[in-house]
Amino acid sequence: MSERLPPSIDPVLYELVSTGLRAVCNEMALLVAKSAYSIAVAEGRDFAGAIYDRHGFLVAQGETDLPAFVGITMVAVPEVLRSIGVANMRPDDIYMINDPYVASTHCNDIHFVRPVFYDDQIIAFVSSTAHWSDVGGVAPGSINVSARSHYEEGVRIPAITIWRAGELNRDVVALLLHNMRESWERMGDLNAQTSAVRLGDRRIRELAEKHGLAAVLAGMAEIQNQSERMMRENLRALPDGVYEAEDWVDEDVATGDPVAIRLRLTIDGDHADVDLTASDGAAGSGVNSTIAATTSAVFIAVGSILPTMPMNAGILRAMTIRTTPGSICHAQPPSAISATAASSMEAVIGAVTLAMSAALPARGAGVASTILNTTYHGWDTRDGFATTYICYIWSPGGMGGSRAKDGANVVGSPYASTIVNVPAELQERRFPLLYRRYQLLQNSGGPGRSRGGMAVHQLVTFPYVAGTLSTFGNRERFGPPGVFDGQVGRTAGMALNPDTEREQSLPVFSVLVPVAVGDLLSFWSAGGGGYGDPLERDPERVLNDVIDEYVSIEGARADYGVVVRELDRRCLSYEIDAGATAALRAELQAARAGS
């Protein structure tokens, strides 16, 4: 449990300390974005920085930090403290860890942790987490959904001292980089994260100098106490009861069978019991979730539904998370885990979203899409390059619709809602590929009174060199569910050389698929689940969707019972046939009643 201290700090000073800590996190993020080498980190913002109290409990995060990483580091930093030992920590030390089973999502997510010393005592910790585009293993990019164990997925790093008293452990760095592709890029990201935690250390000591150490320590404690109070108040506002939900991972690649995430959420006064013990056992492939990823998923999903509050360790004081070690939600070594983020972790978020929506319909939402990830690898023989490449691209999808509004279009899943879509032009300049299409996918948002967010369709060609393709995602078999009669979002999918004699349908779980010069890859994410009965959607909103090409005329009729007439497509001139719409909706309602 995190430290509970009385709020021995006046309100003005508390605001100065709390906003100062958030500003430190934001500055750490800016430094990583400006200095990291890999596109996924520097341009896609696949990173996070955070601050913890002297016991290793989360206090503050950046406003644009990846939610998944912030949730995971609530487990990662205490593990570093346990493994290294506070008595063994020294000023200017920096620790490194990516061990998925105790502290991370998968091996790609590297955490740097630095103790902050002031007056010869540890007063805080800072961390920087980033997704490294390769950490070894069988598949370039280290995402190997067909893996049977973590030994096929990359280097697993326990808590180690990467900088001891300001001196880089070059032997360890050399060992790691010798087992990672594009090692120059890995070193660039290492330096960026090192600089970020050094900056965080310096800024926190400056806060202590400015406001006094006692004020900073009291502020860190009160930030968590405030979140606990708000969390408990929010839980007390919910009806006591048991809310059950389930969501699905498309398949265990080893068997082809789907994998179930089953949740039993119990609200009892100001406490929530999140029981995932009825979920399926461990998968034989890389779709298992680690306890860190599962904890983060619950943290994110609960925070997404409940009213806004500072997200820190105080939230977890009001929750109990139950899992079965060795299950899909709590992987144990050597179970494969590299594809967890876009499969089981995302399905945990889906199950919690459904249960929380039942408990709090006013703030509920359809389930969001996950991210469809693709990695291209090969040897770039173009003039001026003559090197290997690893191109890691994600395809965002739609968020779920809510009572208040439609779901957002083409954004990351809740666990990655802060990522940025990397410009096609930048990828074309860096890697041997060309974009033919990047557009919203019509009719992809789950129909509802509030529509689910739109998916994106990408079309990429390989005009210069051959290579291999590996992918992972979810929602190809089971689209994101809707709530309160809202319908499921359109499913994701992939195809190689579509509409040609060489067309090949690809599963979203693919590893080392050969790609020839001239091949064309078509891939699309899933749309978000809808909220409420689509026959109750205002016809004028449906008309606007048709004008915006979010929904086709046929989709308006079939999904919403709205008859739209095209007057002049070039001028975007359409109108609603009110009489035909009323008759069609009555017919669809009658058909429902009779079924």
Side-chain angles (χ1 to χ4, degrees), residues 22 42 59 110 117 194 198 205 255 266 300 304 317 382 413 418 425 488:
R22 287 197 300 273
V59 171
I110 308 290
F117 279 82
T194 297
R198 284 176 172 166
R205 286 186 285 109
T255 64
T266 302
I300 293 164
S304 298
R317 295 177 187 166
R382 293 176 296 167
S413 172
T418 58
E425 295 82 0
V488 66

Side-chain angles (χ1 to χ4, degrees), residues 74-88:
M74 290 197 299
V75 177
V77 174
E79 172 60 23
V80 170
L81 272 64
R82 185 201 65 78
S83 183
I84 299 294
V86 173
N88 299 317

Side-chain angles (χ1 to χ4, degrees), residues 86-393:
V86 173
N88 299 317
M89 295 180 173
R90 299 290 181 268
D92 294 328
D93 281 0
I94 300 176
Y95 313 108
M96 180 184 192
I97 188 171
N98 80 340
D99 188 343
Y101 304 101
V102 293
S104 196
T105 326
H106 50 195
C107 294
N108 295 77
D109 296 333
I110 308 290
H111 311 275
F112 284 70
V113 178
R114 180 183 174 102
V116 179
F117 279 82
Y118 188 85
D119 288 343
D120 298 323
Q121 62 176 310
I122 294 176
I123 64 169
F125 293 87
V126 290
S127 79
S128 174
T129 300
H131 176 106
W132 287 16
S133 296
D134 186 274
V135 290
V138 173
S142 308
I143 308 296
N144 181 3
V145 74
S146 296
R148 298 296 183 263
S149 73
H150 73 80
Y151 298 108
E152 304 168 67
E153 298 177 316
V155 177
R156 177 183 169 199
I157 308 167
I160 61 174
T161 304
I162 198 70
W163 291 84
R164 167 62 74 182
E167 291 294 325
L168 180 64
N169 191 333
R170 298 185 183 279
D171 291 340
V172 171
V173 171
L175 174 65
L176 294 175
L177 297 185
H178 272 71
N179 287 278
M180 299 177 181
R181 301 169 182 88
E182 306 292 334
S183 59
W184 63 273
E185 191 174 83
R186 308 293 81 76
M187 192 66 200
D189 290 349
L190 183 153
N191 287 334
Q193 291 180 259
T194 297
S195 298
V197 294
R198 284 176 172 166
L199 174 66
D201 169 273
R202 186 166 69 252
R203 292 289 187 256
I204 291 174
R205 286 186 285 109
E206 289 171 357
L207 280 176
E209 288 284 351
K210 183 175 183 180
H211 301 300
L213 177 59
V216 171
L217 295 179
M220 287 184 177
E222 179 56 17
I223 288 169
Q224 297 173 70
N225 293 341
Q226 181 190 44
S227 290
E228 180 186 5
R229 291 192 297 269
M230 296 176 72
M231 179 67 173
R232 293 191 184 280
E233 181 180 347
N234 288 330
L235 291 175
R236 281 193 296 269
L238 302 180
D240 283 354
V242 177
Y243 304 89
E244 296 185 344
E246 67 179 19
D247 204 354
W248 295 83
V249 178
D250 281 341
E251 66 172 308
D252 175 357
V253 177
T255 64
D257 297 328
V259 186
I261 305 294
R262 300 185 182 93
L263 169 68
R264 182 181 175 90
L265 171 66
T266 302
I267 304 297
D268 183 9
D270 64 356
H271 185 268
D273 187 273
V274 183
D275 188 344
L276 292 157
T277 57
S279 299
D280 283 352
S285 57
V287 298
N288 295 291
S289 181
T290 64
I291 186 59
T294 295
T295 301
S296 180
V298 173
F299 180 75
I300 293 164
V302 168
S304 298
I305 298 296
L306 291 177
T308 302
M309 52 191 162
M311 298 299 290
N312 55 56
I315 301 294
L316 292 186
R317 295 177 187 166
M319 293 176 15
T320 301
I321 300 174
R322 305 180 192 278
T323 60
T324 302
S327 70
I328 185 69
C329 294
H330 191 156
Q332 298 282 275
S335 289
I337 41 72
S338 60
T340 178
S343 58
S344 50
M345 181 182 182
E346 183 259 337
V348 171
I349 292 176
V352 176
T353 298
L354 293 172
M356 289 295 297
S357 294
L360 188 58
R363 292 186 60 88
V367 173
S369 165
T370 190
I371 298 172
L372 178 57
N373 303 267
T374 57
T375 302
Y376 317 116
H377 174 262
W379 183 268
D380 191 348
T381 58
R382 293 176 296 167
D383 291 344
F385 288 86
T387 183
T388 59
Y389 68 91
I390 298 174
C391 177
Y392 173 47
I393 298 175

Side-chain angles (χ1 to χ4, degrees), residues 398-402 405-409 450-454:
M399 297 294 280
S402 65
K405 58 185 178 181
D406 295 337
N409 301 326
S450 293
R451 176 182 42 72
M454 306 293 290

